[in-house]
Amino acid sequence: MEDRHFEQLLEELRELSSQTVRDIAVLDTDELVDFVERREEIVVAMKPYLALMSDAAKEIIKQMLVDERVILDRMYQLKNEAGEWLQNLGNVRVQQNAYQQSYSIDSLFIDHRK
């Protein structure tokens, strides 16, 4: 019975992983977060069965980890894009602040024309 539950969890993890790798080009950040959270739930549920894990199951997990490198690369790409976006936002704010300086009403502006 316990062995069957472990096999179901392993199959669910394998399907989740392969579907995510297959769809990686169109997944957004929220979908990747959902993947990571679901994967974590499955891994936690598998922990009591680690002692019962066969060599075949270990090989399947090793192969999944190799295949999931694509997911990790995509996550790094999204992280870098977000960092660039935040940096550009900061640059825009600096430029806007230069033009939106509040001047004192009591001040004078003198224009010297030639």
Side-chain angles (χ1 to χ4, degrees):
M1 181 66 177
E2 290 178 352
D3 190 38
R4 180 75 180 129
H5 187 245
F6 176 79
E7 292 297 326
Q8 289 173 338
L9 290 170
L10 183 60
E11 184 57 35
E12 183 180 354
L13 182 61
R14 186 185 336 185
E15 179 59 33
L16 178 67
S17 180
S18 66
Q19 181 180 355
T20 303
V21 169
R22 198 173 37 248
D23 299 337
I24 194 67
V26 295
L27 294 178
D28 63 11
T29 307
D30 292 333
E31 291 167 324
L32 284 172
V33 168
D34 292 342
F35 162 75
V36 170
E37 289 173 351
R38 181 62 190 138
R39 181 180 173 198
E40 181 66 22
E41 291 171 4
I42 295 170
V43 169
V44 167
M46 291 173 79
K47 281 188 179 182
Y49 306 107
L50 290 179
L52 304 173
M53 194 168 26
S54 67
D55 290 336
K58 290 177 184 177
E59 282 301 315
I60 290 170
I61 292 171
K62 283 181 186 177
Q63 186 58 46
M64 282 191 315
L65 291 174
V66 170
D67 294 343
E68 287 180 1
R69 181 69 187 163
V70 174
I71 298 169
L72 191 58
D73 291 343
R74 177 69 175 147
M75 288 178 172
Y76 281 128
Q77 180 185 15
L78 290 171
K79 179 188 78 96
N80 291 337
E81 288 174 6
E84 289 173 11
W85 183 83
L86 286 173
Q87 186 175 7
N88 288 340
L89 180 65
N91 291 340
V92 167
R93 284 185 179 159
V94 167
Q95 291 173 356
Q96 285 178 343
N97 286 341
Y99 289 104
Q100 295 176 351
Q101 291 290 334
S102 59
Y103 295 100
S104 174
I105 294 179
D106 296 336
S107 65
L108 292 174
F109 178 77
I110 301 173
D111 185 12
H112 297 284
R113 292 190 181 189
K114 294 184 180 185

